[in-house]
């Protein structure tokens, strides 16, 4: 599978001196085409990374390449973004706005997206009138408007019920498969994941794991080991404990070791 996103030695610090926060600390990883995840608890640097990729802020150092092209040369028209906290005008109309973005990107796929993301009943409504579930469906659909080459979705399942979550997930998988668009999901939850081709786990602005290809298929869990509790697969709980002042003794991706052994075994057979 070809490489989609290559991030090398990327660093970003907010503020100066005593108040300085190192949001990204020499981050290096690769994601492939297909469906990928950028995963990490609150404050791990996910949004900072996405803002750099969307050219909303600049990194202090390091390099990002998309489809082999350095970020400054990559036309943002080819990339769709859905941010967790959107800054869309509350009066804009669902169907009209989808069409505007699609036309800007050069291919009107409004009807496909309305069907895929279940937006028929709200196509004439204004963004500000939508429930949280429909807002999320709409934002994800906008990211796919005009069929870009790659779509970055920041917490696409936050504040949605299980029906909306399932439908959004199915929509993403369908459009990825049928149109070959690469999708990068940014999230702090690691459950019910669809097919994944590559994954990076951030923690405290650093990369703690970056399984790609075969290794990711065997990856089952992220585990935080605290003094008196082990948290598996639940980054929200892990963060709760960290906020209470408990430091994890260890953070590990269960399955990675097994994956490596498996790969070595396979390698030795060939
Ligand atoms: N504009 C800013 N000024 C100062 N510090 C910031 C700013 N934006 C983010 N930070 C800090 O940088 C670190 C990384 O934040 P970031 O929002 O990138 O993490 P995140 O993984 O996206 O978190 P969340 O899941 O809560 O959105 C945090 O410690 C955060 O407080």
């Amino acid at each position: 599978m070809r490489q989609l996103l290559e991030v090398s030695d990327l660093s970003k610090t907010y503020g100066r001196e005593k108040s300085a926060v190192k949001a990204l600390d020499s981050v290096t990883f690769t994601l492939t085409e297909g469906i990928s995840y950028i995963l990490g608890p609150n404050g791990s640097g996910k949004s900072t990374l996405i803002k750099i990729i969307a050219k909303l802020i600049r990194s202090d150092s390091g390099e990002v390449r998309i489809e082999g092209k350095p970020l400054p040369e990559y036309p943002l028209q080819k990339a769709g973004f859905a941010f967790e906290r959107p800054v869309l005008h509350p009066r804009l109309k669902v169907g009209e706005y989808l069409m505007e973005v699609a036309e800007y990107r050069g291919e009107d796929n409004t009807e496909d997206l309305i069907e895929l993301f279940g937006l028929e009943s709200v196509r004439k409504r204004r963004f500000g009138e939508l429930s949280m579930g429909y807002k999320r469906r709409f934002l994800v659909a906008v990211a796919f408007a005009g069929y870009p080459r790659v779509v970055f979705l920041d917490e696409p399942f936050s504040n949605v019920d299980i029906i909306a979550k399932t439908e959004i997930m199915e929509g993403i998988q369908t459009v990825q498969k049928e149109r070959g668009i690469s999708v990068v999901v940014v999230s702090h939850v690691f459950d019910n994941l669809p097919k994944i081709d590559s994954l990076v786990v951030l923690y405290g602005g650093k990369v703690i794991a970056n399984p790609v290809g075969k290794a990711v298929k065997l990856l089952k869990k992220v585990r935080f080991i605290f003094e008196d509790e082990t948290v598996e697969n639940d980054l929200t709980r892990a963060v709760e404990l960290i906020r209470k002042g408990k430091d994890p003794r260890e953070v590990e991706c269960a399955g990675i070791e097994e994956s490596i052994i498996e790969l070595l075994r396979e390698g030795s057979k060939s």
Side-chain angles (χ1 to χ4, degrees), residues 139-197:
L139 291 168
V140 172
V142 171
F144 285 99
Y147 292 133
R149 301 260 321 136
V150 51
V151 164
F152 293 87
L153 305 172
D154 193 1
E155 303 288 0
F157 311 119
S158 95
N159 285 321
V160 298
D161 61 38
I162 189 72
I163 297 169
K165 180 177 172 172
T166 310
E167 289 185 9
I168 292 172
M169 191 109 80
E170 282 169 2
I172 291 171
Q173 282 176 285
T174 306
V175 78
Q176 192 278 323
K177 206 166 142 206
E178 287 181 1
R179 303 293 302 210
I181 297 171
S182 289
V183 180
V184 179
V185 176
V186 181
S187 182
H188 67 278
V189 280
F190 188 71
D191 56 1
N192 302 324
L193 298 186
K195 149 195 162 340
I196 319 176
D197 297 296

Short mmCIF file of all heavy atoms in Angstrom, two decimals, residues 139-197:
data_model
loop_
_atom_site.label_atom_id
_atom_site.label_comp_id
_atom_site.label_asym_id
_atom_site.label_seq_id
_atom_site.Cartn_x
_atom_site.Cartn_y
_atom_site.Cartn_z
N LEU A 139 -20.99 17.70 8.62
CA LEU A 139 -19.58 18.10 8.58
C LEU A 139 -18.72 17.05 7.88
O LEU A 139 -17.81 17.38 7.12
CB LEU A 139 -19.06 18.33 10.01
CG LEU A 139 -19.67 19.54 10.69
CD1 LEU A 139 -19.35 19.55 12.18
CD2 LEU A 139 -19.15 20.83 10.05
N VAL A 140 -19.04 15.78 8.16
CA VAL A 140 -18.28 14.70 7.51
C VAL A 140 -18.57 14.73 6.00
O VAL A 140 -17.66 14.64 5.17
CB VAL A 140 -18.61 13.32 8.13
CG1 VAL A 140 -17.98 12.20 7.32
CG2 VAL A 140 -18.13 13.26 9.58
N ALA A 141 -19.85 14.91 5.64
CA ALA A 141 -20.22 14.97 4.22
C ALA A 141 -19.50 16.12 3.52
O ALA A 141 -18.99 15.96 2.40
CB ALA A 141 -21.74 15.11 4.08
N VAL A 142 -19.41 17.29 4.17
CA VAL A 142 -18.74 18.45 3.57
C VAL A 142 -17.27 18.12 3.27
O VAL A 142 -16.73 18.50 2.23
CB VAL A 142 -18.84 19.70 4.49
CG1 VAL A 142 -17.95 20.83 3.96
CG2 VAL A 142 -20.28 20.17 4.61
N ALA A 143 -16.65 17.37 4.18
CA ALA A 143 -15.24 17.01 3.96
C ALA A 143 -15.07 16.18 2.68
O ALA A 143 -14.04 16.24 2.03
CB ALA A 143 -14.70 16.25 5.17
N PHE A 144 -16.13 15.42 2.32
CA PHE A 144 -16.06 14.58 1.11
C PHE A 144 -16.63 15.30 -0.13
O PHE A 144 -16.65 14.70 -1.21
CB PHE A 144 -16.84 13.28 1.32
CG PHE A 144 -16.12 12.28 2.20
CD1 PHE A 144 -16.45 12.15 3.54
CD2 PHE A 144 -15.13 11.47 1.68
CE1 PHE A 144 -15.79 11.23 4.36
CE2 PHE A 144 -14.47 10.54 2.48
CZ PHE A 144 -14.80 10.43 3.82
N ALA A 145 -17.13 16.51 0.03
CA ALA A 145 -17.75 17.22 -1.10
C ALA A 145 -16.74 17.38 -2.23
O ALA A 145 -15.59 17.77 -2.00
CB ALA A 145 -18.27 18.58 -0.65
N GLY A 146 -17.17 17.08 -3.44
CA GLY A 146 -16.31 17.22 -4.62
C GLY A 146 -15.24 16.14 -4.70
O GLY A 146 -14.34 16.23 -5.51
N TYR A 147 -15.34 15.11 -3.87
CA TYR A 147 -14.40 14.00 -3.84
C TYR A 147 -12.93 14.45 -3.84
O TYR A 147 -12.25 14.39 -4.88
CB TYR A 147 -14.64 13.04 -5.02
CG TYR A 147 -15.93 12.29 -4.91
CD1 TYR A 147 -16.79 12.19 -6.01
CD2 TYR A 147 -16.30 11.66 -3.72
CE1 TYR A 147 -17.99 11.48 -5.92
CE2 TYR A 147 -17.49 10.96 -3.63
CZ TYR A 147 -18.33 10.87 -4.73
OH TYR A 147 -19.49 10.18 -4.64
N PRO A 148 -12.44 14.89 -2.68
CA PRO A 148 -11.00 15.20 -2.61
C PRO A 148 -10.18 13.92 -2.63
O PRO A 148 -10.74 12.83 -2.69
CB PRO A 148 -10.87 15.91 -1.25
CG PRO A 148 -12.02 15.42 -0.45
CD PRO A 148 -13.12 15.04 -1.41
N ARG A 149 -8.86 14.00 -2.58
CA ARG A 149 -8.01 12.80 -2.60
C ARG A 149 -7.88 12.20 -1.20
O ARG A 149 -7.73 11.02 -1.02
CB ARG A 149 -6.59 13.17 -3.10
CG ARG A 149 -6.60 13.77 -4.48
CD ARG A 149 -6.23 12.80 -5.55
NE ARG A 149 -5.18 11.91 -5.15
CZ ARG A 149 -5.20 10.59 -5.38
NH1 ARG A 149 -6.24 10.06 -5.99
NH2 ARG A 149 -4.19 9.84 -5.01
N VAL A 150 -7.91 13.09 -0.20
CA VAL A 150 -7.74 12.64 1.18
C VAL A 150 -8.63 13.46 2.11
O VAL A 150 -8.85 14.65 1.87
CB VAL A 150 -6.25 12.72 1.63
CG1 VAL A 150 -5.65 14.07 1.36
CG2 VAL A 150 -6.08 12.39 3.11
N VAL A 151 -9.18 12.78 3.13
CA VAL A 151 -10.07 13.48 4.06
C VAL A 151 -9.59 13.25 5.49
O VAL A 151 -9.28 12.12 5.88
CB VAL A 151 -11.52 12.94 3.88
CG1 VAL A 151 -12.39 13.32 5.05
CG2 VAL A 151 -12.13 13.49 2.59
N PHE A 152 -9.49 14.33 6.26
CA PHE A 152 -9.09 14.25 7.66
C PHE A 152 -10.33 14.55 8.51
O PHE A 152 -10.95 15.61 8.36
CB PHE A 152 -8.01 15.29 7.98
CG PHE A 152 -6.71 15.02 7.28
CD1 PHE A 152 -6.48 15.51 5.99
CD2 PHE A 152 -5.71 14.28 7.89
CE1 PHE A 152 -5.28 15.26 5.34
CE2 PHE A 152 -4.51 14.02 7.25
CZ PHE A 152 -4.29 14.51 5.97
N LEU A 153 -10.69 13.61 9.37
CA LEU A 153 -11.90 13.77 10.20
C LEU A 153 -11.50 13.82 11.67
O LEU A 153 -11.02 12.83 12.23
CB LEU A 153 -12.84 12.59 9.96
CG LEU A 153 -13.25 12.33 8.51
CD1 LEU A 153 -14.04 11.02 8.41
CD2 LEU A 153 -14.09 13.48 7.98
N ASP A 154 -11.69 14.99 12.30
CA ASP A 154 -11.32 15.16 13.71
C ASP A 154 -12.51 14.77 14.59
O ASP A 154 -13.54 15.44 14.53
CB ASP A 154 -10.92 16.63 13.92
CG ASP A 154 -10.23 16.85 15.24
OD1 ASP A 154 -10.03 15.88 15.99
OD2 ASP A 154 -9.88 18.01 15.53
N GLU A 155 -12.39 13.71 15.34
CA GLU A 155 -13.44 13.20 16.23
C GLU A 155 -14.81 13.13 15.52
O GLU A 155 -15.77 13.74 15.97
CB GLU A 155 -13.57 14.07 17.49
CG GLU A 155 -12.31 14.20 18.31
CD GLU A 155 -11.93 12.93 19.08
OE1 GLU A 155 -12.65 11.92 18.98
OE2 GLU A 155 -10.88 12.97 19.75
N PRO A 156 -14.90 12.37 14.43
CA PRO A 156 -16.17 12.36 13.68
C PRO A 156 -17.32 11.70 14.43
O PRO A 156 -18.47 11.83 14.02
CB PRO A 156 -15.82 11.55 12.43
CG PRO A 156 -14.66 10.71 12.81
CD PRO A 156 -13.89 11.50 13.82
N PHE A 157 -17.01 11.01 15.53
CA PHE A 157 -18.09 10.32 16.25
C PHE A 157 -18.40 10.98 17.59
O PHE A 157 -19.08 10.39 18.43
CB PHE A 157 -17.73 8.84 16.46
CG PHE A 157 -17.26 8.18 15.20
CD1 PHE A 157 -15.99 7.64 15.11
CD2 PHE A 157 -18.08 8.11 14.08
CE1 PHE A 157 -15.54 7.05 13.94
CE2 PHE A 157 -17.65 7.52 12.90
CZ PHE A 157 -16.37 6.99 12.83
N SER A 158 -17.89 12.19 17.81
CA SER A 158 -18.11 12.77 19.14
C SER A 158 -19.54 13.33 19.23
O SER A 158 -20.06 13.95 18.30
CB SER A 158 -17.05 13.82 19.46
OG SER A 158 -17.46 15.10 19.16
N ASN A 159 -20.18 13.05 20.37
CA ASN A 159 -21.55 13.51 20.64
C ASN A 159 -22.59 12.99 19.66
O ASN A 159 -23.53 13.70 19.35
CB ASN A 159 -21.62 15.05 20.61
CG ASN A 159 -21.03 15.64 21.85
OD1 ASN A 159 -21.20 15.11 22.95
ND2 ASN A 159 -20.31 16.73 21.68
N VAL A 160 -22.39 11.78 19.15
CA VAL A 160 -23.44 11.23 18.29
C VAL A 160 -23.94 9.90 18.87
O VAL A 160 -23.18 9.20 19.55
CB VAL A 160 -22.98 11.01 16.83
CG1 VAL A 160 -22.60 12.31 16.16
CG2 VAL A 160 -21.83 10.02 16.73
N ASP A 161 -25.20 9.59 18.59
CA ASP A 161 -25.72 8.32 19.10
C ASP A 161 -25.22 7.17 18.22
O ASP A 161 -24.58 7.38 17.17
CB ASP A 161 -27.25 8.34 19.20
CG ASP A 161 -27.90 8.57 17.84
OD1 ASP A 161 -27.39 8.03 16.83
OD2 ASP A 161 -28.91 9.29 17.78
N ILE A 162 -25.55 5.97 18.63
CA ILE A 162 -24.99 4.79 17.99
C ILE A 162 -25.47 4.64 16.53
O ILE A 162 -24.72 4.18 15.67
CB ILE A 162 -25.28 3.51 18.84
CG1 ILE A 162 -24.53 2.29 18.32
CG2 ILE A 162 -26.77 3.22 18.96
CD1 ILE A 162 -23.05 2.34 18.58
N ILE A 163 -26.70 5.12 16.26
CA ILE A 163 -27.21 5.01 14.88
C ILE A 163 -26.42 5.94 13.97
O ILE A 163 -25.93 5.54 12.91
CB ILE A 163 -28.72 5.32 14.81
CG1 ILE A 163 -29.47 4.27 15.64
CG2 ILE A 163 -29.23 5.36 13.37
CD1 ILE A 163 -30.91 4.59 15.89
N ALA A 164 -26.29 7.20 14.43
CA ALA A 164 -25.54 8.16 13.61
C ALA A 164 -24.09 7.68 13.45
O ALA A 164 -23.53 7.73 12.35
CB ALA A 164 -25.56 9.54 14.26
N LYS A 165 -23.53 7.15 14.52
CA LYS A 165 -22.14 6.68 14.47
C LYS A 165 -21.98 5.56 13.42
O LYS A 165 -21.08 5.61 12.58
CB LYS A 165 -21.71 6.15 15.84
CG LYS A 165 -20.29 5.66 15.86
CD LYS A 165 -19.87 5.21 17.23
CE LYS A 165 -18.49 4.54 17.12
NZ LYS A 165 -17.88 4.21 18.37
N THR A 166 -22.91 4.61 13.46
CA THR A 166 -22.84 3.49 12.51
C THR A 166 -23.00 4.00 11.09
O THR A 166 -22.27 3.60 10.18
CB THR A 166 -23.96 2.47 12.83
OG1 THR A 166 -23.89 2.17 14.22
CG2 THR A 166 -23.81 1.20 12.03
N GLU A 167 -23.96 4.91 10.88
CA GLU A 167 -24.20 5.40 9.51
C GLU A 167 -23.03 6.23 8.99
O GLU A 167 -22.67 6.13 7.82
CB GLU A 167 -25.52 6.17 9.46
CG GLU A 167 -26.67 5.19 9.59
CD GLU A 167 -28.05 5.84 9.43
OE1 GLU A 167 -28.14 7.02 9.05
OE2 GLU A 167 -29.02 5.14 9.70
N ILE A 168 -22.45 7.04 9.89
CA ILE A 168 -21.29 7.84 9.46
C ILE A 168 -20.15 6.89 9.09
O ILE A 168 -19.51 7.04 8.05
CB ILE A 168 -20.85 8.83 10.58
CG1 ILE A 168 -21.90 9.91 10.79
CG2 ILE A 168 -19.50 9.47 10.23
CD1 ILE A 168 -21.66 10.82 11.99
N MET A 169 -19.95 5.89 9.94
CA MET A 169 -18.87 4.92 9.71
C MET A 169 -19.08 4.19 8.38
O MET A 169 -18.15 4.02 7.59
CB MET A 169 -18.86 3.92 10.86
CG MET A 169 -17.68 3.03 10.90
SD MET A 169 -16.60 3.40 12.24
CE MET A 169 -17.30 2.66 13.63
N GLU A 170 -20.33 3.76 8.13
CA GLU A 170 -20.61 3.06 6.88
C GLU A 170 -20.39 3.97 5.67
O GLU A 170 -19.85 3.55 4.66
CB GLU A 170 -22.05 2.53 6.88
CG GLU A 170 -22.17 1.27 7.72
CD GLU A 170 -23.63 0.85 7.96
OE1 GLU A 170 -24.56 1.53 7.44
OE2 GLU A 170 -23.81 -0.12 8.69
N GLY A 171 -20.84 5.23 5.81
CA GLY A 171 -20.66 6.21 4.74
C GLY A 171 -19.19 6.39 4.41
O GLY A 171 -18.78 6.37 3.24
N ILE A 172 -18.38 6.52 5.46
CA ILE A 172 -16.93 6.72 5.27
C ILE A 172 -16.34 5.52 4.54
O ILE A 172 -15.58 5.66 3.57
CB ILE A 172 -16.23 6.87 6.65
CG1 ILE A 172 -16.64 8.20 7.31
CG2 ILE A 172 -14.71 6.82 6.49
CD1 ILE A 172 -16.18 8.35 8.75
N GLN A 173 -16.72 4.31 4.99
CA GLN A 173 -16.14 3.10 4.38
C GLN A 173 -16.56 2.95 2.92
O GLN A 173 -15.76 2.57 2.08
CB GLN A 173 -16.55 1.87 5.19
CG GLN A 173 -15.71 1.75 6.45
CD GLN A 173 -16.16 0.60 7.31
OE1 GLN A 173 -17.18 0.67 7.97
NE2 GLN A 173 -15.41 -0.48 7.30
N THR A 174 -17.85 3.28 2.65
CA THR A 174 -18.33 3.15 1.27
C THR A 174 -17.58 4.10 0.34
O THR A 174 -17.09 3.70 -0.72
CB THR A 174 -19.84 3.47 1.21
OG1 THR A 174 -20.50 2.63 2.14
CG2 THR A 174 -20.40 3.26 -0.17
N VAL A 175 -17.49 5.36 0.76
CA VAL A 175 -16.88 6.35 -0.12
C VAL A 175 -15.38 6.06 -0.29
O VAL A 175 -14.80 6.24 -1.36
CB VAL A 175 -17.19 7.79 0.38
CG1 VAL A 175 -16.35 8.22 1.53
CG2 VAL A 175 -17.11 8.79 -0.74
N GLN A 176 -14.76 5.54 0.76
CA GLN A 176 -13.33 5.20 0.67
C GLN A 176 -13.13 4.07 -0.34
O GLN A 176 -12.27 4.14 -1.20
CB GLN A 176 -12.82 4.78 2.06
CG GLN A 176 -11.30 4.68 2.17
CD GLN A 176 -10.76 3.38 1.65
OE1 GLN A 176 -11.36 2.32 1.82
NE2 GLN A 176 -9.62 3.44 0.97
N LYS A 177 -14.00 3.07 -0.23
CA LYS A 177 -13.85 1.89 -1.09
C LYS A 177 -14.19 2.21 -2.54
O LYS A 177 -13.46 1.86 -3.46
CB LYS A 177 -14.81 0.82 -0.56
CG LYS A 177 -14.39 -0.58 -0.89
CD LYS A 177 -15.17 -1.57 -0.06
CE LYS A 177 -15.51 -2.79 -0.86
NZ LYS A 177 -16.68 -3.46 -0.39
N GLU A 178 -15.33 2.91 -2.72
CA GLU A 178 -15.80 3.12 -4.09
C GLU A 178 -14.99 4.17 -4.84
O GLU A 178 -14.83 4.10 -6.05
CB GLU A 178 -17.28 3.52 -4.07
CG GLU A 178 -18.14 2.31 -3.73
CD GLU A 178 -19.61 2.62 -3.70
OE1 GLU A 178 -20.00 3.78 -3.97
OE2 GLU A 178 -20.38 1.69 -3.39
N ARG A 179 -14.51 5.18 -4.12
CA ARG A 179 -13.80 6.28 -4.80
C ARG A 179 -12.30 6.27 -4.54
O ARG A 179 -11.58 7.14 -5.05
CB ARG A 179 -14.39 7.64 -4.37
CG ARG A 179 -15.87 7.79 -4.60
CD ARG A 179 -16.23 7.81 -6.07
NE ARG A 179 -15.58 8.87 -6.78
CZ ARG A 179 -16.07 9.50 -7.84
NH1 ARG A 179 -17.26 9.15 -8.31
NH2 ARG A 179 -15.41 10.45 -8.45
N GLY A 180 -11.83 5.36 -3.68
CA GLY A 180 -10.39 5.29 -3.39
C GLY A 180 -9.86 6.50 -2.64
O GLY A 180 -8.66 6.79 -2.70
N ILE A 181 -10.75 7.21 -1.94
CA ILE A 181 -10.30 8.38 -1.17
C ILE A 181 -9.68 7.89 0.14
O ILE A 181 -10.24 7.02 0.79
CB ILE A 181 -11.51 9.30 -0.84
CG1 ILE A 181 -12.12 9.84 -2.13
CG2 ILE A 181 -11.11 10.43 0.09
CD1 ILE A 181 -13.42 10.57 -1.92
N SER A 182 -8.53 8.42 0.48
CA SER A 182 -7.93 8.03 1.77
C SER A 182 -8.58 8.81 2.89
O SER A 182 -8.90 10.00 2.74
CB SER A 182 -6.44 8.32 1.76
OG SER A 182 -5.82 7.40 0.90
N VAL A 183 -8.78 8.14 4.02
CA VAL A 183 -9.45 8.78 5.16
C VAL A 183 -8.55 8.66 6.39
O VAL A 183 -8.07 7.57 6.71
CB VAL A 183 -10.80 8.09 5.45
CG1 VAL A 183 -11.50 8.76 6.63
CG2 VAL A 183 -11.71 8.12 4.22
N VAL A 184 -8.32 9.79 7.06
CA VAL A 184 -7.56 9.77 8.30
C VAL A 184 -8.49 10.23 9.42
O VAL A 184 -9.00 11.34 9.40
CB VAL A 184 -6.33 10.72 8.22
CG1 VAL A 184 -5.56 10.72 9.54
CG2 VAL A 184 -5.43 10.33 7.07
N VAL A 185 -8.77 9.31 10.35
CA VAL A 185 -9.67 9.63 11.47
C VAL A 185 -8.81 10.00 12.68
O VAL A 185 -7.90 9.27 13.05
CB VAL A 185 -10.57 8.42 11.82
CG1 VAL A 185 -11.43 8.73 13.03
CG2 VAL A 185 -11.44 8.04 10.63
N VAL A 186 -9.12 11.16 13.27
CA VAL A 186 -8.39 11.62 14.45
C VAL A 186 -9.30 11.42 15.65
O VAL A 186 -10.43 11.91 15.64
CB VAL A 186 -8.04 13.12 14.31
CG1 VAL A 186 -7.25 13.61 15.50
CG2 VAL A 186 -7.29 13.35 13.01
N SER A 187 -8.83 10.68 16.66
CA SER A 187 -9.76 10.36 17.74
C SER A 187 -9.06 10.02 19.05
O SER A 187 -7.89 9.67 19.07
CB SER A 187 -10.64 9.18 17.31
OG SER A 187 -11.57 8.89 18.31
N HIS A 188 -9.81 10.15 20.15
CA HIS A 188 -9.25 9.70 21.43
C HIS A 188 -9.89 8.38 21.86
O HIS A 188 -9.57 7.86 22.92
CB HIS A 188 -9.41 10.78 22.51
CG HIS A 188 -10.82 11.04 22.89
ND1 HIS A 188 -11.64 11.87 22.16
CD2 HIS A 188 -11.56 10.58 23.90
CE1 HIS A 188 -12.82 11.89 22.72
NE2 HIS A 188 -12.81 11.12 23.78
N VAL A 189 -10.82 7.87 21.05
CA VAL A 189 -11.41 6.58 21.40
C VAL A 189 -10.91 5.49 20.46
O VAL A 189 -10.72 5.70 19.28
CB VAL A 189 -12.96 6.59 21.38
CG1 VAL A 189 -13.50 7.20 22.64
CG2 VAL A 189 -13.49 7.30 20.17
N PHE A 190 -10.73 4.34 21.04
CA PHE A 190 -10.14 3.25 20.28
C PHE A 190 -11.06 2.04 20.43
O PHE A 190 -10.77 1.07 21.09
CB PHE A 190 -8.76 2.94 20.86
CG PHE A 190 -7.96 1.96 20.06
CD1 PHE A 190 -7.44 2.32 18.84
CD2 PHE A 190 -7.72 0.69 20.54
CE1 PHE A 190 -6.69 1.41 18.11
CE2 PHE A 190 -6.98 -0.23 19.81
CZ PHE A 190 -6.46 0.14 18.60
N ASP A 191 -12.25 2.16 19.87
CA ASP A 191 -13.14 1.00 19.93
C ASP A 191 -13.99 0.94 18.66
O ASP A 191 -14.17 1.93 17.97
CB ASP A 191 -14.03 1.02 21.19
CG ASP A 191 -14.82 2.29 21.27
OD1 ASP A 191 -14.71 3.13 20.37
OD2 ASP A 191 -15.56 2.47 22.25
N ASN A 192 -14.52 -0.21 18.39
CA ASN A 192 -15.36 -0.42 17.21
C ASN A 192 -14.74 0.14 15.94
O ASN A 192 -15.43 0.76 15.14
CB ASN A 192 -16.73 0.24 17.39
CG ASN A 192 -17.44 -0.28 18.60
OD1 ASN A 192 -17.34 -1.45 18.92
ND2 ASN A 192 -18.15 0.60 19.28
N LEU A 193 -13.47 -0.03 15.80
CA LEU A 193 -12.84 0.53 14.61
C LEU A 193 -13.20 -0.28 13.38
O LEU A 193 -13.33 -1.49 13.45
CB LEU A 193 -11.32 0.54 14.77
CG LEU A 193 -10.77 1.36 15.91
CD1 LEU A 193 -9.26 1.39 15.84
CD2 LEU A 193 -11.31 2.78 15.87
N PRO A 194 -13.36 0.42 12.27
CA PRO A 194 -13.58 -0.32 11.02
C PRO A 194 -12.24 -0.88 10.56
O PRO A 194 -11.25 -0.83 11.29
CB PRO A 194 -14.07 0.75 10.07
CG PRO A 194 -13.43 2.00 10.56
CD PRO A 194 -13.26 1.86 12.05
N LYS A 195 -12.21 -1.37 9.35
CA LYS A 195 -10.96 -1.82 8.74
C LYS A 195 -9.92 -0.68 8.84
O LYS A 195 -10.24 0.46 8.53
CB LYS A 195 -11.29 -2.15 7.28
CG LYS A 195 -10.24 -1.95 6.25
CD LYS A 195 -10.92 -1.97 4.86
CE LYS A 195 -10.15 -1.38 3.72
NZ LYS A 195 -9.08 -0.50 3.82
N ILE A 196 -8.74 -1.00 9.31
CA ILE A 196 -7.71 0.04 9.39
C ILE A 196 -6.48 -0.41 8.62
O ILE A 196 -6.07 -1.56 8.71
CB ILE A 196 -7.19 0.27 10.84
CG1 ILE A 196 -8.32 0.24 11.84
CG2 ILE A 196 -6.44 1.59 10.93
CD1 ILE A 196 -7.78 0.37 13.25
N ASP A 197 -5.90 0.52 7.87
CA ASP A 197 -4.69 0.18 7.13
C ASP A 197 -3.43 0.65 7.83
O ASP A 197 -2.37 0.07 7.67
CB ASP A 197 -4.77 0.78 5.72
CG ASP A 197 -5.93 0.17 4.95
OD1 ASP A 197 -5.88 -1.04 4.70
OD2 ASP A 197 -6.91 0.87 4.64
#
